[in-house]
Short mmCIF file of all heavy atoms in Angstrom, two decimals:
data_model
loop_
_atom_site.label_atom_id
_atom_site.label_comp_id
_atom_site.label_asym_id
_atom_site.label_seq_id
_atom_site.Cartn_x
_atom_site.Cartn_y
_atom_site.Cartn_z
N MET F 1 255.07 -83.84 -71.00
CA MET F 1 254.69 -82.83 -69.93
C MET F 1 253.64 -81.84 -70.53
O MET F 1 253.84 -81.31 -71.70
CB MET F 1 255.93 -82.03 -69.55
CG MET F 1 255.70 -81.14 -68.37
SD MET F 1 257.24 -80.20 -67.75
CE MET F 1 258.23 -81.52 -67.18
N THR F 2 252.60 -81.62 -69.93
CA THR F 2 251.61 -80.73 -70.36
C THR F 2 252.01 -79.33 -70.30
O THR F 2 252.99 -79.03 -69.42
CB THR F 2 250.24 -80.99 -69.66
OG1 THR F 2 250.40 -80.61 -68.26
CG2 THR F 2 249.78 -82.43 -69.75
N GLY F 3 251.39 -78.40 -70.86
CA GLY F 3 251.71 -77.03 -70.83
C GLY F 3 251.58 -76.47 -69.32
O GLY F 3 252.34 -75.73 -68.94
N ILE F 4 250.56 -76.94 -68.65
CA ILE F 4 250.39 -76.46 -67.22
C ILE F 4 251.51 -77.01 -66.43
O ILE F 4 252.08 -76.24 -65.58
CB ILE F 4 249.00 -76.90 -66.63
CG1 ILE F 4 247.91 -76.08 -67.38
CG2 ILE F 4 248.93 -76.68 -65.08
CD1 ILE F 4 246.55 -76.66 -67.15
N ALA F 5 251.87 -78.26 -66.53
CA ALA F 5 253.01 -78.82 -65.73
C ALA F 5 254.26 -78.11 -66.04
O ALA F 5 255.08 -77.81 -65.13
CB ALA F 5 253.14 -80.31 -65.89
N ALA F 6 254.55 -77.89 -67.35
CA ALA F 6 255.70 -77.24 -67.79
C ALA F 6 255.79 -75.77 -67.25
O ALA F 6 256.79 -75.32 -66.74
CB ALA F 6 255.81 -77.23 -69.31
N ALA F 7 254.70 -75.10 -67.19
CA ALA F 7 254.63 -73.70 -66.67
C ALA F 7 254.97 -73.62 -65.21
O ALA F 7 255.68 -72.79 -64.72
CB ALA F 7 253.27 -73.03 -66.96
N SER F 8 254.42 -74.66 -64.45
CA SER F 8 254.71 -74.62 -63.00
C SER F 8 256.15 -75.07 -62.73
O SER F 8 256.80 -74.65 -61.77
CB SER F 8 253.76 -75.58 -62.29
OG SER F 8 253.96 -76.87 -62.65
N PHE F 9 256.77 -75.85 -63.62
CA PHE F 9 258.18 -76.30 -63.39
C PHE F 9 259.06 -75.08 -63.66
O PHE F 9 260.09 -75.05 -62.97
CB PHE F 9 258.49 -77.42 -64.36
CG PHE F 9 259.80 -77.95 -64.38
CD1 PHE F 9 260.19 -78.80 -63.27
CD2 PHE F 9 260.75 -77.60 -65.26
CE1 PHE F 9 261.49 -79.28 -63.19
CE2 PHE F 9 262.04 -78.03 -65.21
CZ PHE F 9 262.42 -78.84 -64.14
N PHE F 10 258.72 -74.28 -64.53
CA PHE F 10 259.69 -73.10 -64.84
C PHE F 10 259.14 -71.85 -64.17
O PHE F 10 259.42 -70.70 -64.69
CB PHE F 10 259.65 -72.85 -66.37
CG PHE F 10 260.22 -74.02 -67.12
CD1 PHE F 10 259.54 -74.82 -67.85
CD2 PHE F 10 261.67 -74.27 -66.95
CE1 PHE F 10 260.13 -75.90 -68.56
CE2 PHE F 10 262.26 -75.31 -67.67
CZ PHE F 10 261.42 -76.12 -68.44
N SER F 11 258.54 -71.92 -62.99
CA SER F 11 258.01 -70.77 -62.33
C SER F 11 259.11 -69.93 -61.51
O SER F 11 258.79 -68.82 -61.05
CB SER F 11 256.85 -71.11 -61.40
OG SER F 11 257.37 -71.85 -60.31
N ASN F 12 260.26 -70.48 -61.26
CA ASN F 12 261.36 -69.88 -60.45
C ASN F 12 260.73 -69.60 -59.01
O ASN F 12 261.18 -68.58 -58.42
CB ASN F 12 261.79 -68.60 -61.14
CG ASN F 12 262.58 -68.82 -62.36
OD1 ASN F 12 263.10 -70.04 -62.57
ND2 ASN F 12 262.59 -67.89 -63.28
N SER F 13 259.90 -70.45 -58.57
CA SER F 13 259.37 -70.42 -57.24
C SER F 13 260.00 -71.46 -56.34
O SER F 13 260.14 -72.58 -56.75
CB SER F 13 257.91 -70.54 -57.30
OG SER F 13 257.44 -70.71 -55.97
N CYS F 14 260.51 -71.09 -55.17
CA CYS F 14 261.19 -72.07 -54.32
C CYS F 14 260.10 -72.90 -53.65
O CYS F 14 259.26 -72.47 -52.78
CB CYS F 14 262.02 -71.35 -53.22
SG CYS F 14 262.85 -72.59 -52.18
N ARG F 15 260.27 -74.27 -53.92
CA ARG F 15 259.25 -75.18 -53.32
C ARG F 15 259.94 -76.05 -52.24
O ARG F 15 259.42 -76.94 -51.77
CB ARG F 15 258.64 -75.98 -54.38
CG ARG F 15 257.87 -75.18 -55.36
CD ARG F 15 257.06 -75.91 -56.12
NE ARG F 15 256.23 -74.88 -56.73
CZ ARG F 15 255.80 -74.88 -58.01
NH1 ARG F 15 256.03 -75.82 -58.74
NH2 ARG F 15 255.08 -73.90 -58.50
N PHE F 16 261.22 -75.59 -51.88
CA PHE F 16 261.93 -76.41 -50.94
C PHE F 16 261.40 -76.14 -49.51
O PHE F 16 261.36 -75.00 -49.01
CB PHE F 16 263.39 -75.84 -50.88
CG PHE F 16 264.44 -76.88 -50.42
CD1 PHE F 16 265.14 -77.54 -51.27
CD2 PHE F 16 264.52 -77.14 -49.16
CE1 PHE F 16 266.14 -78.47 -50.94
CE2 PHE F 16 265.46 -78.07 -48.62
CZ PHE F 16 266.24 -78.74 -49.49
N GLY F 17 260.84 -77.20 -48.89
CA GLY F 17 260.20 -77.10 -47.56
C GLY F 17 259.06 -76.03 -47.49
O GLY F 17 258.98 -75.51 -46.42
N GLY F 18 258.36 -75.80 -48.55
CA GLY F 18 257.32 -74.91 -48.59
C GLY F 18 257.68 -73.42 -48.45
O GLY F 18 256.90 -72.61 -48.03
N CYS F 19 258.96 -73.16 -48.78
CA CYS F 19 259.43 -71.72 -48.78
C CYS F 19 258.56 -70.83 -49.55
O CYS F 19 258.21 -69.76 -49.01
CB CYS F 19 260.84 -71.71 -49.38
SG CYS F 19 261.61 -70.14 -49.40
N GLY F 20 258.39 -71.02 -50.80
CA GLY F 20 257.40 -70.09 -51.64
C GLY F 20 257.98 -68.84 -52.14
O GLY F 20 257.22 -68.12 -52.94
N LEU F 21 259.22 -68.59 -51.94
CA LEU F 21 259.78 -67.22 -52.44
C LEU F 21 259.88 -67.27 -53.94
O LEU F 21 260.09 -68.34 -54.52
CB LEU F 21 261.20 -66.97 -51.81
CG LEU F 21 261.21 -66.58 -50.38
CD1 LEU F 21 262.70 -66.46 -49.93
CD2 LEU F 21 260.46 -65.34 -50.11
N GLN F 22 259.60 -66.20 -54.66
CA GLN F 22 259.65 -66.13 -56.08
C GLN F 22 261.02 -65.40 -56.48
O GLN F 22 261.46 -64.55 -55.82
CB GLN F 22 258.47 -65.21 -56.59
CG GLN F 22 257.17 -65.86 -56.41
CD GLN F 22 256.85 -66.89 -57.32
OE1 GLN F 22 256.67 -68.05 -57.02
NE2 GLN F 22 256.92 -66.64 -58.72
N PHE F 23 261.48 -65.76 -57.67
CA PHE F 23 262.83 -65.19 -58.15
C PHE F 23 262.65 -64.85 -59.67
O PHE F 23 261.91 -65.51 -60.35
CB PHE F 23 263.92 -66.17 -57.92
CG PHE F 23 264.23 -66.43 -56.38
CD1 PHE F 23 263.56 -67.52 -55.78
CD2 PHE F 23 265.05 -65.65 -55.78
CE1 PHE F 23 263.76 -67.72 -54.52
CE2 PHE F 23 265.28 -65.86 -54.37
CZ PHE F 23 264.61 -66.85 -53.80
N GLU F 24 263.41 -63.87 -60.04
CA GLU F 24 263.33 -63.39 -61.42
C GLU F 24 263.92 -64.41 -62.42
O GLU F 24 263.57 -64.54 -63.50
CB GLU F 24 264.10 -62.03 -61.52
CG GLU F 24 263.47 -60.87 -60.80
CD GLU F 24 262.13 -60.53 -61.58
OE1 GLU F 24 262.10 -60.44 -62.80
OE2 GLU F 24 261.21 -60.21 -60.80
N SER F 25 265.00 -65.15 -61.84
CA SER F 25 265.68 -66.07 -62.85
C SER F 25 265.92 -67.55 -62.06
O SER F 25 265.90 -67.55 -60.88
CB SER F 25 267.03 -65.52 -63.35
OG SER F 25 267.84 -65.46 -62.24
N LEU F 26 266.19 -68.43 -62.96
CA LEU F 26 266.53 -69.67 -62.49
C LEU F 26 267.79 -69.74 -61.63
O LEU F 26 268.01 -70.32 -60.57
CB LEU F 26 266.66 -70.82 -63.58
CG LEU F 26 267.07 -72.17 -63.18
CD1 LEU F 26 266.05 -72.76 -62.14
CD2 LEU F 26 267.10 -73.03 -64.34
N ALA F 27 268.72 -68.91 -62.17
CA ALA F 27 270.02 -68.71 -61.43
C ALA F 27 269.89 -68.16 -60.06
O ALA F 27 270.56 -68.68 -59.05
CB ALA F 27 271.03 -67.82 -62.22
N GLU F 28 269.04 -67.22 -59.81
CA GLU F 28 268.73 -66.51 -58.52
C GLU F 28 268.08 -67.62 -57.60
O GLU F 28 268.42 -67.73 -56.49
CB GLU F 28 267.86 -65.36 -58.68
CG GLU F 28 268.49 -64.19 -59.28
CD GLU F 28 267.48 -63.05 -59.41
OE1 GLU F 28 267.16 -62.48 -58.35
OE2 GLU F 28 267.12 -62.75 -60.52
N LEU F 29 267.19 -68.49 -58.22
CA LEU F 29 266.57 -69.50 -57.38
C LEU F 29 267.56 -70.58 -57.03
O LEU F 29 267.54 -70.99 -55.81
CB LEU F 29 265.42 -70.27 -58.21
CG LEU F 29 264.73 -71.43 -57.66
CD1 LEU F 29 264.08 -71.20 -56.31
CD2 LEU F 29 263.83 -72.01 -58.66
N ILE F 30 268.46 -70.91 -57.82
CA ILE F 30 269.51 -71.92 -57.47
C ILE F 30 270.27 -71.39 -56.25
O ILE F 30 270.64 -72.03 -55.28
CB ILE F 30 270.35 -72.33 -58.69
CG1 ILE F 30 269.56 -73.19 -59.66
CG2 ILE F 30 271.53 -73.13 -58.31
CD1 ILE F 30 270.18 -73.41 -60.94
N VAL F 31 270.80 -70.17 -56.42
CA VAL F 31 271.60 -69.56 -55.39
C VAL F 31 270.81 -69.54 -54.09
O VAL F 31 271.40 -69.84 -52.97
CB VAL F 31 272.09 -68.15 -55.85
CG1 VAL F 31 272.67 -67.35 -54.62
CG2 VAL F 31 273.07 -68.13 -57.00
N HIS F 32 269.56 -69.12 -54.12
CA HIS F 32 268.70 -69.10 -52.87
C HIS F 32 268.80 -70.49 -52.29
O HIS F 32 268.92 -70.62 -51.06
CB HIS F 32 267.39 -68.58 -53.21
CG HIS F 32 266.37 -68.93 -52.20
ND1 HIS F 32 266.25 -68.34 -51.00
CD2 HIS F 32 265.41 -69.99 -52.07
CE1 HIS F 32 265.39 -68.74 -50.24
NE2 HIS F 32 264.82 -69.82 -50.84
N ILE F 33 268.45 -71.50 -53.06
CA ILE F 33 268.34 -72.81 -52.43
C ILE F 33 269.68 -73.34 -51.92
O ILE F 33 269.68 -73.80 -50.81
CB ILE F 33 267.79 -73.81 -53.57
CG1 ILE F 33 266.47 -73.47 -53.87
CG2 ILE F 33 267.98 -75.30 -53.08
CD1 ILE F 33 265.86 -74.30 -55.10
N GLU F 34 270.76 -73.13 -52.62
CA GLU F 34 272.14 -73.50 -52.12
C GLU F 34 272.38 -72.69 -50.82
O GLU F 34 273.06 -73.34 -49.90
CB GLU F 34 273.14 -73.26 -53.12
CG GLU F 34 273.13 -74.25 -54.36
CD GLU F 34 274.20 -73.95 -55.32
OE1 GLU F 34 274.69 -72.88 -55.41
OE2 GLU F 34 274.22 -74.96 -56.23
N ASP F 35 272.11 -71.45 -50.80
CA ASP F 35 272.48 -70.63 -49.56
C ASP F 35 271.59 -70.84 -48.40
O ASP F 35 272.09 -70.69 -47.27
CB ASP F 35 272.53 -69.19 -49.96
CG ASP F 35 273.59 -68.73 -50.92
OD1 ASP F 35 274.55 -69.50 -51.11
OD2 ASP F 35 273.59 -67.64 -51.44
N ASN F 36 270.37 -71.18 -48.66
CA ASN F 36 269.36 -71.17 -47.53
C ASN F 36 268.77 -72.60 -47.23
O ASN F 36 268.38 -72.82 -46.09
CB ASN F 36 268.24 -70.29 -47.90
CG ASN F 36 268.53 -68.89 -47.97
OD1 ASN F 36 268.80 -68.19 -47.08
ND2 ASN F 36 268.77 -68.38 -49.14
N HIS F 37 268.88 -73.52 -48.17
CA HIS F 37 268.28 -74.79 -47.89
C HIS F 37 269.24 -76.00 -47.96
O HIS F 37 268.82 -77.10 -47.48
CB HIS F 37 267.16 -75.07 -48.85
CG HIS F 37 266.08 -73.94 -48.78
ND1 HIS F 37 265.24 -73.79 -47.69
CD2 HIS F 37 265.73 -73.02 -49.69
CE1 HIS F 37 264.45 -72.79 -47.96
NE2 HIS F 37 264.63 -72.37 -49.11
N ILE F 38 270.41 -75.86 -48.43
CA ILE F 38 271.37 -76.96 -48.47
C ILE F 38 272.56 -76.61 -47.69
O ILE F 38 273.21 -75.59 -47.84
CB ILE F 38 271.77 -77.27 -49.92
CG1 ILE F 38 270.49 -77.63 -50.75
CG2 ILE F 38 272.73 -78.33 -50.03
CD1 ILE F 38 270.82 -77.82 -52.19
N ASP F 39 272.89 -77.47 -46.65
CA ASP F 39 274.09 -77.29 -45.85
C ASP F 39 275.37 -77.53 -46.56
O ASP F 39 275.55 -78.50 -47.26
CB ASP F 39 274.04 -78.24 -44.67
CG ASP F 39 274.83 -77.80 -43.55
OD1 ASP F 39 275.73 -76.96 -43.70
OD2 ASP F 39 274.53 -78.21 -42.37
N THR F 40 276.23 -76.52 -46.50
CA THR F 40 277.56 -76.60 -47.23
C THR F 40 278.74 -76.74 -46.27
O THR F 40 279.84 -76.65 -46.72
CB THR F 40 277.81 -75.26 -48.08
OG1 THR F 40 277.76 -74.28 -47.28
CG2 THR F 40 276.78 -75.24 -49.23
N ASP F 41 278.49 -77.06 -45.06
CA ASP F 41 279.55 -77.35 -44.09
C ASP F 41 280.24 -78.63 -44.64
O ASP F 41 279.70 -79.66 -44.80
CB ASP F 41 278.97 -77.62 -42.73
CG ASP F 41 279.97 -77.87 -41.61
OD1 ASP F 41 281.17 -78.36 -41.92
OD2 ASP F 41 279.79 -77.57 -40.45
N PRO F 42 281.67 -78.53 -44.72
CA PRO F 42 282.36 -79.68 -45.27
C PRO F 42 282.18 -80.94 -44.40
O PRO F 42 282.13 -82.06 -44.92
CB PRO F 42 283.89 -79.20 -45.25
CG PRO F 42 283.80 -77.75 -45.19
CD PRO F 42 282.52 -77.38 -44.57
N ARG F 43 282.01 -80.87 -43.07
CA ARG F 43 281.76 -82.06 -42.31
C ARG F 43 280.44 -82.59 -42.57
O ARG F 43 280.39 -83.88 -42.65
CB ARG F 43 281.94 -81.71 -40.81
CG ARG F 43 283.30 -81.22 -40.38
CD ARG F 43 283.28 -80.67 -38.98
NE ARG F 43 282.45 -79.39 -39.04
CZ ARG F 43 282.39 -78.52 -38.13
NH1 ARG F 43 283.04 -78.73 -36.93
NH2 ARG F 43 281.71 -77.32 -38.27
N VAL F 44 279.47 -81.73 -42.72
CA VAL F 44 278.11 -82.33 -43.10
C VAL F 44 278.16 -82.93 -44.60
O VAL F 44 277.63 -84.07 -44.70
CB VAL F 44 277.05 -81.21 -43.12
CG1 VAL F 44 275.80 -81.65 -43.68
CG2 VAL F 44 276.91 -80.69 -41.70
N LEU F 45 278.84 -82.28 -45.52
CA LEU F 45 278.87 -82.81 -46.83
C LEU F 45 279.64 -84.23 -46.85
O LEU F 45 279.34 -85.11 -47.53
CB LEU F 45 279.67 -81.88 -47.71
CG LEU F 45 278.75 -80.60 -48.16
CD1 LEU F 45 279.66 -79.68 -48.91
CD2 LEU F 45 277.48 -80.96 -48.85
N GLU F 46 280.70 -84.29 -46.05
CA GLU F 46 281.43 -85.59 -46.03
C GLU F 46 280.50 -86.68 -45.47
O GLU F 46 280.38 -87.92 -46.02
CB GLU F 46 282.63 -85.43 -45.25
CG GLU F 46 283.49 -86.73 -45.22
CD GLU F 46 284.81 -86.52 -44.49
OE1 GLU F 46 285.31 -85.40 -44.32
OE2 GLU F 46 285.43 -87.57 -44.07
N LYS F 47 279.74 -86.31 -44.45
CA LYS F 47 278.84 -87.39 -43.89
C LYS F 47 277.75 -87.76 -44.90
O LYS F 47 277.39 -88.85 -45.07
CB LYS F 47 278.16 -86.77 -42.69
CG LYS F 47 277.24 -87.74 -41.83
CD LYS F 47 276.66 -87.10 -40.63
CE LYS F 47 275.70 -88.10 -39.93
NZ LYS F 47 275.12 -87.49 -38.77
N GLN F 48 277.26 -86.73 -45.65
CA GLN F 48 276.22 -87.05 -46.70
C GLN F 48 276.87 -87.93 -47.76
O GLN F 48 276.26 -88.88 -48.31
CB GLN F 48 275.77 -85.80 -47.28
CG GLN F 48 274.86 -85.00 -46.45
CD GLN F 48 274.37 -83.64 -47.10
OE1 GLN F 48 275.00 -83.16 -47.95
NE2 GLN F 48 273.27 -83.09 -46.61
N GLU F 49 278.10 -87.71 -48.16
CA GLU F 49 278.76 -88.47 -49.12
C GLU F 49 278.83 -89.95 -48.74
O GLU F 49 278.58 -90.92 -49.56
CB GLU F 49 280.09 -87.98 -49.55
CG GLU F 49 280.04 -86.60 -50.32
CD GLU F 49 281.46 -86.10 -50.49
OE1 GLU F 49 282.51 -86.60 -49.96
OE2 GLU F 49 281.55 -85.07 -51.22
N GLN F 50 279.15 -90.18 -47.59
CA GLN F 50 279.25 -91.52 -46.95
C GLN F 50 277.93 -92.22 -46.86
O GLN F 50 277.78 -93.40 -46.97
CB GLN F 50 279.91 -91.44 -45.53
CG GLN F 50 281.29 -91.04 -45.60
CD GLN F 50 281.84 -90.73 -44.17
OE1 GLN F 50 281.16 -90.86 -43.21
NE2 GLN F 50 283.15 -90.44 -44.15
N GLN F 51 276.82 -91.37 -46.83
CA GLN F 51 275.42 -91.97 -46.78
C GLN F 51 274.79 -91.97 -48.03
O GLN F 51 273.65 -92.24 -48.10
CB GLN F 51 274.53 -91.08 -45.72
CG GLN F 51 275.12 -91.20 -44.36
CD GLN F 51 274.26 -90.28 -43.42
OE1 GLN F 51 273.55 -89.44 -43.86
NE2 GLN F 51 274.47 -90.44 -42.16
N GLN F 52 275.47 -91.54 -49.11
CA GLN F 52 274.93 -91.47 -50.44
C GLN F 52 273.71 -90.63 -50.45
O GLN F 52 272.58 -91.07 -50.57
CB GLN F 52 274.67 -92.88 -51.06
CG GLN F 52 275.86 -93.71 -51.19
CD GLN F 52 275.55 -95.01 -51.82
OE1 GLN F 52 274.43 -95.39 -52.15
NE2 GLN F 52 276.57 -95.87 -51.89
N PRO F 53 273.86 -89.32 -50.31
CA PRO F 53 272.73 -88.35 -50.30
C PRO F 53 271.82 -88.27 -51.55
O PRO F 53 272.32 -88.68 -52.61
CB PRO F 53 273.46 -86.97 -50.06
CG PRO F 53 274.75 -87.11 -50.72
CD PRO F 53 275.10 -88.49 -50.42
N THR F 54 270.68 -87.83 -51.32
CA THR F 54 269.73 -87.70 -52.37
C THR F 54 269.88 -86.36 -53.13
O THR F 54 269.36 -86.22 -54.22
CB THR F 54 268.22 -87.74 -51.90
OG1 THR F 54 268.08 -86.77 -50.95
CG2 THR F 54 267.91 -89.13 -51.37
N TYR F 55 270.67 -85.43 -52.53
CA TYR F 55 271.05 -84.18 -53.26
C TYR F 55 272.24 -83.73 -52.80
O TYR F 55 272.74 -83.89 -51.79
CB TYR F 55 269.84 -83.20 -52.91
CG TYR F 55 269.85 -82.77 -51.50
CD1 TYR F 55 270.58 -81.72 -51.09
CD2 TYR F 55 269.04 -83.41 -50.60
CE1 TYR F 55 270.67 -81.34 -49.71
CE2 TYR F 55 269.04 -83.02 -49.26
CZ TYR F 55 269.80 -82.05 -48.88
OH TYR F 55 269.86 -81.64 -47.59
N LEU F 56 272.87 -82.84 -53.64
CA LEU F 56 274.09 -82.03 -53.31
C LEU F 56 273.95 -80.65 -54.04
O LEU F 56 273.28 -80.61 -55.13
CB LEU F 56 275.36 -82.69 -53.93
CG LEU F 56 275.88 -83.85 -53.12
CD1 LEU F 56 277.07 -84.54 -53.86
CD2 LEU F 56 276.31 -83.44 -51.81
N ALA F 57 274.55 -79.72 -53.47
CA ALA F 57 274.58 -78.39 -54.16
C ALA F 57 275.29 -78.47 -55.47
O ALA F 57 276.31 -79.05 -55.67
CB ALA F 57 275.24 -77.36 -53.34
N LEU F 58 274.64 -77.92 -56.62
CA LEU F 58 275.19 -78.00 -57.89
C LEU F 58 276.53 -77.32 -57.92
O LEU F 58 277.53 -77.80 -58.63
CB LEU F 58 274.27 -77.28 -58.90
CG LEU F 58 274.66 -77.32 -60.39
CD1 LEU F 58 274.82 -78.78 -60.92
CD2 LEU F 58 273.67 -76.64 -61.22
N SER F 59 276.75 -76.27 -57.18
CA SER F 59 278.07 -75.74 -57.07
C SER F 59 279.18 -76.67 -56.51
O SER F 59 280.28 -76.61 -56.97
CB SER F 59 278.06 -74.36 -56.27
OG SER F 59 277.52 -74.67 -54.97
N TYR F 60 278.72 -77.42 -55.69
CA TYR F 60 279.72 -78.43 -55.05
C TYR F 60 280.15 -79.48 -56.18
O TYR F 60 281.30 -79.76 -56.29
CB TYR F 60 279.00 -79.19 -53.78
CG TYR F 60 279.86 -80.26 -53.27
CD1 TYR F 60 280.90 -79.83 -52.38
CD2 TYR F 60 279.65 -81.54 -53.42
CE1 TYR F 60 281.75 -80.83 -51.81
CE2 TYR F 60 280.44 -82.59 -52.80
CZ TYR F 60 281.48 -82.17 -52.03
OH TYR F 60 282.25 -83.15 -51.40
N ILE F 61 279.18 -79.91 -56.94
CA ILE F 61 279.47 -80.83 -58.04
C ILE F 61 280.29 -80.19 -59.13
O ILE F 61 281.26 -80.81 -59.57
CB ILE F 61 278.15 -81.35 -58.58
CG1 ILE F 61 277.34 -82.25 -57.56
CG2 ILE F 61 278.41 -82.21 -59.82
CD1 ILE F 61 275.93 -82.49 -57.96
N ASN F 62 280.02 -78.99 -59.39
CA ASN F 62 280.76 -78.23 -60.44
C ASN F 62 282.22 -78.03 -60.01
O ASN F 62 283.16 -78.17 -60.77
CB ASN F 62 280.02 -76.88 -60.74
CG ASN F 62 278.88 -77.00 -61.55
OD1 ASN F 62 278.71 -78.02 -62.22
ND2 ASN F 62 278.10 -76.04 -61.53
N ARG F 63 282.45 -77.82 -58.70
CA ARG F 63 283.84 -77.66 -58.18
C ARG F 63 284.59 -78.91 -58.40
O ARG F 63 285.77 -78.89 -58.76
CB ARG F 63 283.77 -77.15 -56.72
CG ARG F 63 283.75 -75.72 -56.42
CD ARG F 63 283.93 -75.45 -54.91
NE ARG F 63 282.91 -76.08 -54.15
CZ ARG F 63 281.91 -75.47 -53.54
NH1 ARG F 63 281.88 -74.27 -53.57
NH2 ARG F 63 280.96 -76.15 -52.86
N TYR F 64 283.94 -80.04 -58.20
CA TYR F 64 284.65 -81.35 -58.32
C TYR F 64 284.88 -81.56 -59.76
O TYR F 64 286.00 -81.96 -60.09
CB TYR F 64 283.71 -82.37 -57.67
CG TYR F 64 284.22 -83.84 -57.90
CD1 TYR F 64 285.33 -84.26 -57.16
CD2 TYR F 64 283.73 -84.67 -58.88
CE1 TYR F 64 285.83 -85.52 -57.40
CE2 TYR F 64 284.25 -85.87 -59.17
CZ TYR F 64 285.25 -86.30 -58.41
OH TYR F 64 285.85 -87.61 -58.58
N ALA F 65 283.95 -81.28 -60.66
CA ALA F 65 284.16 -81.49 -62.11
C ALA F 65 285.30 -80.58 -62.56
O ALA F 65 286.14 -81.03 -63.40
CB ALA F 65 282.90 -81.26 -62.84
N GLN F 66 285.41 -79.31 -62.14
CA GLN F 66 286.37 -78.42 -62.63
C GLN F 66 287.72 -78.91 -62.12
O GLN F 66 288.74 -78.76 -62.82
CB GLN F 66 286.10 -77.03 -62.05
CG GLN F 66 284.97 -76.35 -62.78
CD GLN F 66 284.55 -75.06 -62.11
OE1 GLN F 66 285.04 -74.65 -61.10
NE2 GLN F 66 283.58 -74.38 -62.77
N SER F 67 287.88 -79.43 -60.87
CA SER F 67 289.15 -79.87 -60.39
C SER F 67 289.70 -81.06 -61.18
O SER F 67 290.93 -81.20 -61.45
CB SER F 67 289.09 -80.16 -58.89
OG SER F 67 288.24 -81.30 -58.71
N ILE F 68 288.82 -81.90 -61.68
CA ILE F 68 289.16 -83.02 -62.43
C ILE F 68 289.72 -82.56 -63.79
O ILE F 68 290.57 -83.01 -64.37
CB ILE F 68 288.02 -84.07 -62.65
CG1 ILE F 68 287.68 -84.81 -61.31
CG2 ILE F 68 288.29 -85.08 -63.75
CD1 ILE F 68 286.45 -85.67 -61.37
N THR F 69 288.97 -81.60 -64.47
CA THR F 69 289.28 -81.10 -65.75
C THR F 69 290.65 -80.44 -65.62
O THR F 69 291.42 -80.50 -66.57
CB THR F 69 288.33 -80.01 -66.19
OG1 THR F 69 287.00 -80.65 -66.15
CG2 THR F 69 288.58 -79.53 -67.47
N GLN F 70 290.94 -79.70 -64.57
CA GLN F 70 292.31 -78.94 -64.45
C GLN F 70 293.39 -79.99 -64.20
O GLN F 70 294.57 -79.66 -64.79
CB GLN F 70 292.17 -78.01 -63.22
CG GLN F 70 291.36 -76.80 -63.45
CD GLN F 70 291.08 -76.00 -62.18
OE1 GLN F 70 291.56 -76.34 -61.06
NE2 GLN F 70 290.38 -74.92 -62.28
N VAL F 71 293.19 -81.07 -63.73
CA VAL F 71 294.26 -82.09 -63.49
C VAL F 71 294.54 -82.75 -64.83
O VAL F 71 295.71 -83.02 -65.16
CB VAL F 71 293.75 -83.19 -62.54
CG1 VAL F 71 294.64 -84.37 -62.52
CG2 VAL F 71 293.62 -82.67 -61.14
N ARG F 72 293.52 -82.84 -65.81
CA ARG F 72 293.82 -83.58 -67.00
C ARG F 72 294.50 -82.54 -68.04
O ARG F 72 295.03 -83.10 -69.02
CB ARG F 72 292.49 -83.95 -67.55
CG ARG F 72 291.85 -85.13 -66.85
CD ARG F 72 290.61 -85.60 -67.46
NE ARG F 72 290.07 -86.67 -66.63
CZ ARG F 72 288.83 -87.20 -66.81
NH1 ARG F 72 288.11 -86.77 -67.81
NH2 ARG F 72 288.35 -88.05 -66.07
N ILE F 73 294.41 -81.22 -67.86
CA ILE F 73 294.89 -80.29 -68.83
C ILE F 73 296.49 -80.30 -68.75
O ILE F 73 297.14 -80.49 -67.88
CB ILE F 73 294.35 -78.89 -68.52
CG1 ILE F 73 292.84 -78.89 -68.84
CG2 ILE F 73 295.04 -77.92 -69.40
CD1 ILE F 73 292.21 -77.62 -68.58
#
């Protein structure tokens, strides 16, 4: 990855659907995308799981991973 490509990758700018909002941190950008651009309705998520979606909210994946970890402890 060239310096220019790396700089644009780490810009904390929302490129989801041409949104263009800027954020101070990557964490703020992730929260924005999850809250504004990814549907979290359980019925929608279940339908997406059945269709093998191309994306899921990272917090949704983390919840699943944490529940598995808690069962093993």
Side-chain angles (χ1 to χ4, degrees):
M1 184 178 298
T2 66
I4 294 172
S8 66
F9 181 76
F10 295 110
S11 69
N12 296 334
S13 175
C14 181
R15 297 196 169 142
F16 204 104
C19 177
L21 291 177
Q22 293 283 121
F23 296 90
E24 292 292 319
S25 69
L26 179 59
E28 290 179 70
L29 173 60
I30 290 170
V31 168
H32 162 76
I33 291 172
E34 289 178 345
D35 289 349
N36 295 284
H37 300 297
I38 298 175
D39 200 335
T40 57
D41 182 331
R43 294 170 293 190
V44 172
L45 290 175
E46 185 173 338
K47 185 177 178 182
Q48 287 178 339
E49 287 174 355
Q50 293 170 355
Q51 296 174 348
Q52 298 181 1
T54 56
Y55 66 87
L56 282 174
L58 183 57
S59 58
Y60 179 77
I61 294 168
N62 286 339
R63 274 189 297 252
Y64 175 75
Q66 288 172 353
S67 67
I68 291 173
T69 304
Q70 291 171 357
V71 169
R72 292 182 182 172
I73 294 177

